[in-house]
Amino acid sequence: METKWRLAAIVIALVMILAPALPAQDEGEMADSMPAEIQMEPPPAPELVLGEDVPNDGGHKLKLTWGYPAEWSDSVARFLIFRGDAPDGEFKSLGEAARGVTTYLDIGSKIKDNSDYMANDHDFYYKVIAVANNGTESEPAIGGPFQTSGQWFHWGKVPVLVGVVLFGFFTVLFINAARKGKELFVRPLAGIEAVDEAIGRATEMGKPILYVLGIGTAADIATIASFTILGRVAKKVAEYQTDLIVPCYEPIVMSVAQDVVKSAYMEAGRPDQYSDDQVFFVTNAQFAYVAGVNGIMVRDLPATNFYLGYFAAESLILAETGNSIGAIQIAGTDQITQIPFFVVACDYTLIGEELYAASAYLGRDPLLLGSLKAEDWGKGILMVLMAVGVLATAFGWNAIRELVRVIL
Amino acid sequence: MNIFDKMVALDRRWVFLFLFVVVALAYFLRNHFTVDIVTTREVRSIYNFVENLEPGDKLLISFDYDPSSLAELHPMSRAIITQCYKRKVKVIGVTLSQYGAGMVEEIFREIGDVAEQEYGREIVYGEDYCFIGYRPYPAFVILGMGENFRVFFPRDYYDTPLDDLPIMKGVKNYDDVKAVLAITSGTTADFWVIYGNARYNMPLALGVTGVMATDYYPYLGNALFGLIGGWKGAAEYEKLVGRPDKATAGMPAQVAAHLTIVLFIVIGNIGYLLSRKTKKKLG
Amino acid sequence: MNGKQAASYVVLAIVIVAFAVSIVLKGLLVTVGAFLTLFIFSFLYKDNPYYKFAEHLFVGVSAAYWMCMGFWGTMVPNLFGKLYPPMVGPVMPALKDNAAEPFMLIPLILGILLLLRLSSSVGWISRWALAFIVGTTAGLNLIRYLRSDFIQQINNTTFSLYATGATGFNLGETLSNIAIFVSVMTGLIYFFFSKEHKGAFGVGARTGIIVLMVTFGASFGYTVMARISLLVGRMQFLFGDWLGMMQ
Amino acid sequence: MIVFLVSLFMVVQYYVPLDSWAWMYQYLIDWTIIIGVFALLLGIWSLWRVNFNKIKQRAENWEYAVITLAGLLIMMIVGFVPGWGNLNNYVYEHFFYYILVPIQATMFSLLAFFISSAAFRAFRARSLLATLLLFAGLVIMIRFVPMGQVSSYISDLSGWILRVPNLAAKRAIIIGIGLGAIATAFKIMFGIERAYLGRD
């Protein structure tokens, strides 16, 4: 894809993200409450039954409120609520509200076949009856018609949208800066610096390299980051003519990994050395996979083990077995529960976000470095916002605090 | 190689053997020594919450684990249900784990017998508790139950319409139960926090495995009013309820194993520090 | 025949005899479970033929297990059952009367495209299916992050530093709150990639990594409990269910 | 391009609470699960090939490859026999409960040993960071050991560690991961990160 087109794609994406926001205004107004037909009845009957669509949802929900004279409120035990299609038609009992409560949230079913189904954009009438302490019922108060509707846009999520758009903007900005040749500094990461050395060591010893992608799916961010690193490692390995073993847990991950390694070998000019037997499927039962990989470790004795991706309980089994065979181990995961085990049992560990960043480090690709810089900016802005929020709270500037809360 | 170097480079198989023997011994001799269990704030707050409920109040308990985490989570489920039966609090059970249903049935029956023998209460299905079964896609189910339990569970596990169960009368969604207790072994815990508590704001407490516990401490006080972690948490709960059970029985083994590991760490460090000292002297 | 070989035959003989005795006394199923348990434990000593046996069996059986689960649990009810309900009638009568959903042709086609990668000439088509899966789930993940942890965590950090208890101002809690705030900030500083960790910034990053290390130590320590429970569970199986030494 | 559209849809749907979109979302999830099962066929094929080649070439440990394939075949036959129709058949369940479950549980319990050997080896006061790791780990572990009055201090201290540094560090990591995840999602949508397509 050419740069121009890529930028165009970004613009289109932003427009598309924003687009749903536009018609929302009309829809929003449509959903406004309609004036109720008020029916005044002798005292104990409720008055002013109002129905209002609940905003920011897919419809099928209506908030009902009514008034009741204060002097009567103690003598009324509860209110009964009914819903019907016409003011003089049949009403279906919905439930009741307790003493002193004059609102009711009617949540209908979204499923058409359900008896409780509540169609959107359909006129409904509501009937409220007050029940006195002695059990006598008031005349019904009927309000309507009211409608529920689905909205095209969830207004409560606007801040998130703003954040995402802003972040996208930073990404584009820094990617462009990087492409124009601006040098971006990145601090060294020990785990990444060790990659070359670790591959070199395996070559010297004439032993294979084991690369474990974890037990995530091909769409876990950690696995995606790991694919990029695998590509770099595979290229180096092909250049050095060392063996690479990639046992996989998930068949889709395996398919992708095969493509990644194959093209890395091609780039290194050694397509003939690649075989699908290097990147293979073990099984997708967690511990059977571990048993299999353990077996590979103690029998093929790799000099270097990479564990990069999504890991669960197996992390420590792998890392300890790897340690017992004396391999250099480089690990990285975004699973917070497993990071401690890698830190303890491996030589180098990429913690959380460092794993995502690693692909940029290895590639030195301006695109990836640019997005790294954007992430830093994102962090910076968040930190400032959080600091402002906390300070505002501390000094009791509630207005500012609320503002920050809304922004976040 | 002097003794300190040996302490540093001890073959790990000795550690394995020692641990195995210690744990086995502690388990065999578990009836011969008792462990004093110190209760923690996060467990007490759940116990106190249930203790302060009125008889007849309702709790939703979600059993989101399968037989593979049974060892860790079953004890706390048992303790909580026991307390509910004792306090005459009604329990609505649900499971969001595919293989959970059989296990939940069993636990209700078992604790029902316990209540009958120890508290002289006969536990009636549909009256004191009910079990509404399993549905896939936990996130959706949690959201759905926030609207109405009947969206995903029109009928209970035994195919009775929910409206025919006395316990479910007037119970529509989370608003009609006093709290939700989710005993879970996986991402379902996140879903309860994100989709359940954040959306519907019901009081929520979690029972989780020992590994997960540290992940949910950050939610204590905001999203969660209590947290039970692993065997230790379950043993604390058993102590509070006053009915020592499986988790308490496992405590001697736990204590012994922890002591063993601490001991090895200490040995390793003494060896490390001293061997470094002798090397410095020599070099 | 050297000593080592002889020893291994002796071990084999013992295993076989014990296995046979156990079958007679305890029945086949428990015996199989117990011996497989022992085989796996033997890996702690070193790699050996018994572990290899259990490992390879485990890999084969589990792969087939998940395949069957996928077929009966997903393909039949969700694909065939929705494409042409009468087809699954004999095995899952409950689904027979559902309406057919032609949309389900799409995953069928994508799935077949995926299988095309086995052919070298049209293998490239499978990338379409891969792209679909990765795209969908990547989008899903993004939303999950946005919706959950991320925003929630940021929101939670803007709390009041003052803490008041039943007795008024609570110094301990206030200090804890300040510690939390500072730690989150320094932790974030540690994750800055494009700035050198020098000067004040370096101090921040250093503090950040210290907090991280304390946390990792704590998590590690906490997990010991869970792992020991697992071991006790296995012992219950070996000594209780199998050998009947516990009641 | 597909990726772009599909992931864009997923992002957009987050903002749109409409019913029809929710159904779409549900469909997409169902589809990916179904495609996953097709992918499993690829996996089985790979497993079959690797082990078959091993046997054919009489590679080291080829005897065990026979066991893998035998396990695979027998389990497949048991699971797919026509007429048995579903997975509630006796043999299949017994394979699960008496072969898979014990091995799985035992592999899992190996962790009890590995966690102690890892602690023994790595918890050494080598540097400031290692000492802190050691210290926090020890505090949490000895909270188990009843020691009278000391226990309640330890209990308080471990509670504090779990509530304060633990909370803060996890928040920092989560925020970092969140940003990283969003950035990665962007990179995928705009085709900057394409390693998952086998090229970069």
Side-chain angles (χ1 to χ4, degrees), chain D residues 101-132:
Chain D
V101 171
I103 304 189
Q104 185 176 321
T106 314
M107 280 307 291
F108 205 175
S109 72
L110 289 184
L111 275 170
F113 298 103
F114 286 142
I115 205 170
S116 41
S117 67
F120 169 64
R121 201 185 62 245
F123 277 17
R124 301 268 161 88
R126 278 196 205 93
S127 62
L128 173 68
L129 289 181
T131 312
L132 283 168

Side-chain angles (χ1 to χ4, degrees), chain B residues 56-105:
Chain B
D57 281 347
K58 287 155 194 161
L59 278 182
L60 178 74
I61 304 185
S62 184
F63 304 87
D64 311 331
Y65 53 98
D66 56 30
S68 67
S69 347
L70 189 136
E72 269 201 278
L73 297 178
H74 237 36
M76 57 182 88
S77 302
R78 295 164 63 97
I80 294 172
I81 298 176
T82 309
Q83 188 195 8
C84 290
Y85 284 174
K86 195 171 154 192
R87 298 273 317 143
K88 300 190 178 152
V89 170
K90 300 184 175 188
V91 180
I92 301 166
V94 61
T95 177
L96 303 180
S97 163
Q98 200 180 351
Y99 303 104
M103 193 184 68
V104 176
E105 252 193 307

Side-chain angles (χ1 to χ4, degrees), chain B residues 166-187:
Chain B
I167 182 176
M168 292 306 288
K169 214 168 175 236
V171 178
K172 191 166 182 191
N173 51 38
Y174 300 133
D175 296 340
D176 304 308
V177 293
K178 292 292 166 190
V180 176
L181 306 182
I183 298 161
T184 123
S185 66
T187 43

Side-chain angles (χ1 to χ4, degrees), chain A residues 388-407:
Chain A
V388 169
V390 167
L391 285 179
T393 316
F395 293 109
W397 304 329
N398 278 326
I400 296 178
R401 181 178 170 218
E402 284 311 305
L403 189 71
V404 171
R405 264 190 192 267
V406 169
I407 293 174

